[in-house]
Amino acid sequence: MLAELVIENIALIDEARVAFGPGLNLLTGETGAGKSILIDALGLALGERASLDRVREGAVAGRVDAVFVLDPGPPAGLQALLAEAGLEPDEDGRLILSREITRAGRSAARINGRPVTTALLRRVGAHLVEIHGQGDNQALLDPEQQLEWLDALAGADVARLRAQLAERVAALRQVGARLQALVADPRQRERELDLLRFQRDEIDGARLTPGEEEELTARRRLLAGAERLAQQLGAAYEELYAAGSSAADRLATAARALEEAAAVDPSLQDLARRVRGLEYEVEEAARDVRARADTVEHDPAALAQVEERLAQLQDLKRKYGETVEEILAYREQVAQRIAELEDAAQRAAALEAERRRLLEECGRLARRLHEARRRAAERLARELRPILASLGMPGAGLSVAFRTVPDPDGVPWEDGSVRLTERGVDRVEFLLAANPGEPPRPLARAASGGERSRVMLALRSLHVAAGDVPTVVFDEVDAGVGGETAWAVGQRLARLAEHRQVLCVTHLAPISALADRHLAVHKETRGGRTRTRIRPLTGEERLRELARMLGTGVGEQGTDAARLLLERARAMRRAG
């Protein structure tokens, strides 16, 4: 709920800190005192368009902080939005929406001190507060929102139908996209097939094998260094085993010397055997070197073939993949796509049959949804009429106009086909006949601002437009009513306030008497400057304000009348 509104240099308010409570919060005061300034200031904090003339005369900038307490936590939609934006309530569960505007035309928005866009501020604010004022009620005038309210009144059956339809429409769109991609342009498909076949044949013609490039690279290295390799192996063999002073000869001489020494000193026998063993190892190594030298291939033609093959692989890699394995994987993708395109006609026929089946299924669901909405519209009109009458609109009636949008590719409907969405085929609009004998007209043209506020109050009385917004604001919902009608309006507000916080600007004492928290707005002039002040009223102060609103004066007679008013209000609240 809205816990506090802090205002600096907005219109006639130089500074104000206004605390609100749960239930019904009423704002009263003389005409022109500035009650609607609070609603305008709240609108600024919620991201409404800023106007330079809202900054108090003489001030450089104006600022509004709206402090919300989210207990037990943010509504589901708001929680998802905050997570998406990387925001969260503070440790006390508060969300502070701030807005600053300057005379230079700049505007800054913040949430819990973090700079945000005005668009994000507006989106967050829409989850926290719903304002219905003399020039507002945008939600009430929005046909999209009206459809949501109608479905809410229809109940769980419509919710299930909408879920089923949304699932089927998603499947229908997926099939349609696949079908369109398949039959979009036959010539383009043939061009794509020619290219894919060429790529497939080029890869197949190369007869690639996994690991081939590594083997060729190693073979090229050997062929390119064959002459040098042969020279070095020959030199090694000469050093190890050539006649004369090779390593083998010297080891043989050393071994014989040690064997003769061992005849004198037997402790040298192991050493003599070790050296003799080294002689044998050298002879074996020499044989291995000679055998390897005999396999060295010095073949310029073979080298040229290897180079040519590697160049071919490099060309294929440039087109189809970084490795031979990737090229072969790409070839499989090409083959799969060729099969899809070559089978296009058969697949298109199958997809078209599936599309028609889904379209028929969607049509049946849309028809059931439409009929359920028709029944809900009749119920809405029937149940709303007495509520509107009790709110000072006798003879007024609300009806729902249904229409569809023609679409040659849509779902069959009546004498043609109409556009289908996840919400069905219906486009609805709430129509109001404000007075007996008048034809029903769209709310925007048929009702004044006060009447639209009362229509919204009536809708909320049916829990049609409840949603999960924790705070609802009505600006002068009582315009044009009085007497017992004022009590009826107040009772509706009080009942609504049992489920969510309600803020209301009113001129009527009966409505004010039902408040859980009564705030008075008044103007004062000091030092040649006019300021708006707001203070909570209790006890005698509240009695005097109610007496003023009753027009009975602020004397004993007036306060007695105010007490009677409060007693009646308390009795009404107890009776529910």
Side-chain angles (χ1 to χ4, degrees):
M1 71 171 189
L2 177 64
E4 190 175 41
L5 196 62
V6 183
I7 307 170
E8 296 178 6
N9 295 321
I10 297 294
L12 295 178
I13 300 177
D14 54 357
E15 58 178 341
R17 184 178 292 270
V18 187
F20 300 94
L24 182 57
N25 295 255
L26 268 299
L27 294 161
T28 66
E30 296 281 2
T31 299
K35 300 182 294 298
S36 293
I37 294 176
L38 270 76
I39 308 302
D40 292 342
L42 176 59
L44 277 176
L46 298 174
E48 290 183 3
R49 184 180 297 275
S51 175
L52 300 184
D53 59 8
R54 294 191 181 184
V55 179
R56 180 172 169 78
E57 186 65 33
V60 176
R63 178 187 174 98
V64 183
D65 294 329
V67 182
F68 294 89
V69 175
L70 306 178
D71 185 20
L78 176 59
Q79 190 167 8
L81 178 58
L82 293 176
E84 176 187 335
L87 296 165
E88 60 181 0
D90 65 16
E91 58 186 12
D92 296 322
R94 300 182 307 169
L95 205 63
I96 304 174
L97 276 58
S98 304
R99 185 83 174 280
E100 184 176 73
I101 56 175
T102 71
R103 287 198 174 275
R106 291 188 295 273
S107 172
R110 291 180 175 81
I111 297 179
N112 281 7
R114 174 181 157 183
V116 297
T117 64
T118 305
L120 178 59
L121 191 72
R122 191 179 305 114
R123 291 176 65 195
V124 171
H127 287 277
L128 294 168
V129 179
E130 193 175 89
I131 298 178
H132 306 288
Q134 290 288 326
D136 209 333
N137 290 298
Q138 291 306 310
L140 180 61
L141 303 180
D142 181 7
E144 296 290 323
Q145 186 61 61
Q146 291 172 1
L147 180 63
E148 294 298 325
W149 292 341
L150 185 63
D151 286 353
L153 181 66
D157 288 342
V158 161
R160 283 192 293 271
L161 282 172
R162 279 186 56 161
Q164 293 171 15
L165 180 60
E167 181 184 354
R168 295 293 82 197
V169 168
L172 178 64
R173 287 176 177 169
Q174 185 179 32
V175 169
R178 289 166 58 194
L179 182 61
Q180 185 177 8
L182 199 61
V183 301
D185 186 346
R187 285 174 295 188
Q188 174 62 30
R189 185 171 67 250
E190 289 302 319
R191 287 193 293 269
E192 185 180 357
L193 268 172
D194 284 345
L195 175 61
L196 293 172
R197 286 167 181 156
F198 170 81
Q199 292 176 340
R200 179 197 61 190
D201 294 345
E202 184 178 30
I203 295 172
D204 288 348
R207 300 183 180 279
L208 302 175
T209 58
E212 177 183 7
E213 186 177 17
E214 291 78 6
E215 295 176 4
L216 287 170
T217 300
R219 179 163 171 71
R220 179 179 61 180
R221 186 170 57 251
L222 291 176
L223 288 171
E227 185 175 354
R228 182 178 174 215
L229 180 60
Q231 289 175 352
Q232 296 302 322
L233 287 173
Y237 181 77
E238 289 294 327
E239 292 297 328
L240 289 172
Y241 203 67
S245 60
S246 67
D249 290 338
R250 290 195 295 274
L251 283 170
T253 302
R256 285 193 298 272
L258 285 170
E259 288 168 350
E260 291 178 3
V264 178
D265 182 359
S267 66
L268 295 173
Q269 289 179 356
D270 286 343
L271 184 57
R273 282 193 292 272
R274 286 169 55 197
V275 173
R276 182 64 70 183
L278 290 173
E279 175 194 0
Y280 299 150
E281 287 187 23
V282 168
E283 288 176 354
E284 186 176 354
R287 286 192 297 271
D288 290 344
V289 169
R290 182 58 180 268
R292 180 66 183 87
D294 290 341
T295 64
V296 173
E297 180 182 6
H298 182 57
D299 188 345
L303 178 59
Q305 290 178 351
V306 170
E307 294 283 6
E308 183 179 355
R309 180 62 171 174
L310 286 170
Q312 182 184 20
L313 294 182
Q314 191 63 33
D315 183 57
L316 292 173
K317 286 168 58 180
R318 180 175 54 82
K319 298 178 183 178
Y320 307 123
E322 294 295 326
T323 65
V324 169
E325 287 74 16
E326 289 185 16
I327 295 172
L328 293 172
Y330 178 76
R331 190 267 179 207
E332 292 306 312
Q333 295 174 14
V334 166
Q336 183 178 353
R337 179 60 177 160
I338 289 172
E340 291 177 357
L341 293 174
E342 288 177 340
D343 194 31
Q346 293 83 349
R347 294 182 65 247
L351 285 172
E352 177 60 26
E354 176 68 4
R355 189 188 75 84
R356 290 185 179 279
R357 185 190 68 79
L358 287 170
L359 198 60
E360 291 177 3
E361 188 174 345
C362 287
R364 288 193 295 271
L365 288 169
R367 174 64 65 181
R368 292 171 58 192
L369 187 57
H370 171 76
E371 292 169 353
R373 285 168 173 162
R374 285 280 188 185
R375 291 191 295 271
E378 293 171 1
R379 175 186 162 198
L380 178 64
R382 184 173 61 253
E383 295 184 2
L384 210 59
R385 184 175 292 275
I387 298 175
L388 290 174
S390 71
L391 295 178
M393 299 176 69
L398 189 79
S399 58
V400 181
F402 286 81
R403 68 180 182 88
T404 56
V405 178
D407 184 354
D409 297 321
V411 65
W413 199 261
E414 307 302 346
D415 297 328
S417 58
V418 298
R419 184 176 302 165
L420 173 72
T421 71
E422 294 88 345
R423 304 199 303 176
V425 301
D426 297 310
R427 304 294 185 270
V428 304
E429 187 170 23
F430 286 2
L431 306 178
L432 180 70
N435 298 290
E438 292 185 4
R441 292 184 295 172
L443 281 168
R445 300 199 306 270
S448 66
E451 287 173 330
R452 288 198 295 268
S453 292
R454 273 174 272 157
V455 170
M456 173 59 76
L457 181 56
L459 287 168
R460 282 196 170 277
S461 297
L462 294 177
H463 300 286
V464 171
D468 59 358
V469 177
T471 300
V472 185
V473 179
F474 291 97
D475 187 4
E476 301 192 18
V477 68
D478 55 6
V481 303
E484 289 301 311
T485 301
W487 284 108
V489 171
Q491 283 182 292
R492 294 288 174 184
L493 289 168
R495 289 172 189 167
L496 178 60
E498 293 173 2
H499 306 285
R500 63 199 62 238
Q501 183 188 44
V502 176
L503 276 60
C504 182
V505 174
T506 183
H507 293 281
L508 299 181
I511 295 177
S512 301
L514 290 160
D516 295 301
R517 185 173 179 82
H518 189 162
L519 298 164
V521 183
H522 69 280
K523 286 192 296 188
E524 63 179 27
T525 303
R526 291 183 182 177
R529 295 297 303 275
T530 301
R531 297 174 175 83
T532 291
R533 298 292 188 221
I534 306 102
R535 70 180 189 278
L537 299 181
T538 57
E540 290 298 320
E541 279 192 320
R542 187 178 184 199
L543 288 173
R544 286 195 293 272
E545 175 66 6
L546 290 174
R548 181 196 66 77
M549 298 175 74
L550 286 169
T552 56
V554 295
E556 183 176 347
Q557 182 179 356
T559 54
D560 286 345
R563 285 192 182 90
L564 291 174
L565 197 72
L566 285 175
E567 288 176 6
R568 181 178 179 183
R570 283 193 287 269
M572 283 185 171
R573 296 295 291 265
R574 286 195 298 270

